């Protein structure tokens, strides 16, 4: 009985830690409240910045840990990463086709108003879905870290679990912005852009709590899930974010902001481990 209570304390700590990471996501998303009037050049620059953030996060937050974790679990690192990466990309490809057909059908039925942009809606939906999908394995990773302490798994310490949560939380700051700012660019109100930006992080507390409870089962599938999320994010960047930012007449500056976004996320990921 006491052992069960002791073990339950760690999932609750995982839930608390991931609630903090969700709060940091919301903090990043709140940047839209400081943008007074959407300016085309600024918004396109932020779109490029978001693309850079997502590309860097795909490797350092997702693919690299997936490969490393696969080796530790005795899985084939390159095969696990390949299967997950392509699986995530194909899922977003199918989602892209689904949204395109849905919007075409709605337009045919005259349900889309003259001021609505169906392509922008599709881009927003894919962006939100990919970031949310990316937060699921990250939340599980935090949960597994806390669950490892409860079950006495090798290398599991309470300090390392909290440091992992802190690192992921700080990485969520630009990710929250990467969702809310492009949505603001698409014409969403500040309130709606913030809401969808922060809601992308709600997957982390749920996944974190479940990851801590089911650590022994989740641990083995986590490498695949990490790579899966990476494939989904790269698809959105290549299909939507970077091409759209390059429609700006100052596309060389937009490319520069993509490099800046990549650099920011790379530094956060490498410095915070």
């Amino acid at each position: 009985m006491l052992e069960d209570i002791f073990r339950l304390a760690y999932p609750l700590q995982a839930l608390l830690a991931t609630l903090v990471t969700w709060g940091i996501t919301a903090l990043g998303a709140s940047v839209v409240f400081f943008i007074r009037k959407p300016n085309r050049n600024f918004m396109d620059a932020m779109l490029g910045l978001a693309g850079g953030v997502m590309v860097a996060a795909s490797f350092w937050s997702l693919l690299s840990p997936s490969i490393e974790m696969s080796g530790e679990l005795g899985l084939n690192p390159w095969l696990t990463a390949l299967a997950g990466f392509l699986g995530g990309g194909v899922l977003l490809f199918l989602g892209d086709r689904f949204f395109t057909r849905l919007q075409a059908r709605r337009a045919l039925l005259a349900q889309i108003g003259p001021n609505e942009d169906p392509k922008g809606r599709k881009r927003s939906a894919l962006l939100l879905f990919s970031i949310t999908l990316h937060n699921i394995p990250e939340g599980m990773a935090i949960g597994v870290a806390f669950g490892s302490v409860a079950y006495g798994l090798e290398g599991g310490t309470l300090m390392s679990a909290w440091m992992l949560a802190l690192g992921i939380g700080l990485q969520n700051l630009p990710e929250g912005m990467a969702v809310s700012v492009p949505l603001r660019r698409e014409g969403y109100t500040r309130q709606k852009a913030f809401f969808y930006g922060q809601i992308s992080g709600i997957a982390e507390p749920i996944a974190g709590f479940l990851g801590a409870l089911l650590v022994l089962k989740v641990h083995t599938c986590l490498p695949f899930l990490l790579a899966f999320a990476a494939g989904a994010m790269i698809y959105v960047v290549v299909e939507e974010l970077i091409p759209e930012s390059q429609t700006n007449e100052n596309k060389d500056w937009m490319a520069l902001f993509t490099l800046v976004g990549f650099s920011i996320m790379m530094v956060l990921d490498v410095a915070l481990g």
Side-chain angles (χ1 to χ4, degrees):
M1 180 67 177
L2 288 176
E3 185 178 354
D4 291 337
I5 295 174
F6 174 74
R7 284 181 176 172
L8 183 60
Y10 289 101
L12 292 176
Q13 287 195 58
L15 178 62
L16 176 61
T18 46
L19 284 172
V20 172
T21 63
W22 178 21
I24 297 176
T25 303
L27 184 63
S30 69
V31 73
V32 292
F33 291 113
F34 303 97
I35 301 173
R36 291 188 176 182
K37 183 180 179 181
N39 175 275
R40 171 70 192 275
N41 289 333
F42 175 77
M43 289 300 179
D44 283 351
M46 292 301 100
L47 206 62
L49 190 81
V53 165
M54 290 173 67
V55 170
S58 295
F59 177 74
W60 275 283
S61 293
L62 300 171
L63 271 179
S64 182
S66 169
I67 294 169
E68 183 179 350
M69 201 176 295
S70 296
E72 293 172 355
L73 293 172
L75 303 173
N76 186 313
W78 68 264
L79 185 59
T80 302
L82 177 66
F85 186 80
L86 290 179
V90 169
L91 176 66
L92 264 290
F93 169 77
L94 295 175
D96 192 355
R97 299 292 293 270
F98 171 76
F99 282 122
T100 300
R101 289 184 179 181
L102 181 63
Q103 295 290 8
R105 184 180 177 186
R106 289 186 63 201
L108 185 64
L109 296 174
Q111 293 179 350
I112 297 180
N115 297 322
E116 294 186 69
D117 177 13
K119 193 176 188 309
R121 279 191 165 192
K122 183 192 73 172
R123 183 164 50 248
S124 300
L126 291 175
L127 174 63
L128 179 60
F129 180 73
S130 67
I131 292 287
T132 303
L133 189 66
H134 151 267
N135 283 328
I136 292 174
E138 283 197 345
M140 282 188 172
I142 295 174
V144 165
F146 281 95
S148 297
V149 181
Y151 286 93
L153 300 183
E154 184 179 354
T157 66
L158 196 57
M159 179 60 71
S160 63
W162 275 103
M163 289 305 296
L164 175 65
L166 176 62
I168 289 177
L170 292 178
Q171 292 161 19
N172 284 354
L173 191 67
E175 289 172 7
M177 182 189 70
V179 177
S180 64
V181 173
L183 292 181
R184 179 67 177 143
R185 178 188 180 278
E186 299 296 343
Y188 285 70
T189 64
R190 289 186 178 89
Q191 290 76 14
K192 280 190 175 182
F194 169 74
F195 174 78
Y196 288 118
Q198 62 83 30
I199 207 67
S200 67
I202 199 173
E204 282 195 359
I206 299 170
F209 185 71
L210 292 176
L213 284 177
L214 307 173
V215 57
L216 298 179
K217 295 180 180 179
V218 169
H219 195 44
T220 54
C221 66
L222 194 53
F224 176 82
L225 293 175
L226 288 166
F228 189 90
M233 289 182 69
I234 290 295
Y235 180 88
V236 173
V237 172
V238 175
E239 172 69 13
E240 299 289 348
L241 300 189
I242 290 181
E244 184 64 21
S245 71
Q246 288 294 294
T247 60
N248 192 289
E249 59 182 10
N250 300 312
K251 60 181 182 179
D252 50 343
W253 282 97
M254 303 306 113
L256 185 61
F257 274 96
T258 301
L259 294 179
V260 171
F262 185 95
S263 300
I264 291 172
M265 200 64 195
M266 176 182 66
V267 169
L268 284 175
D269 271 320
V270 174
L272 299 173

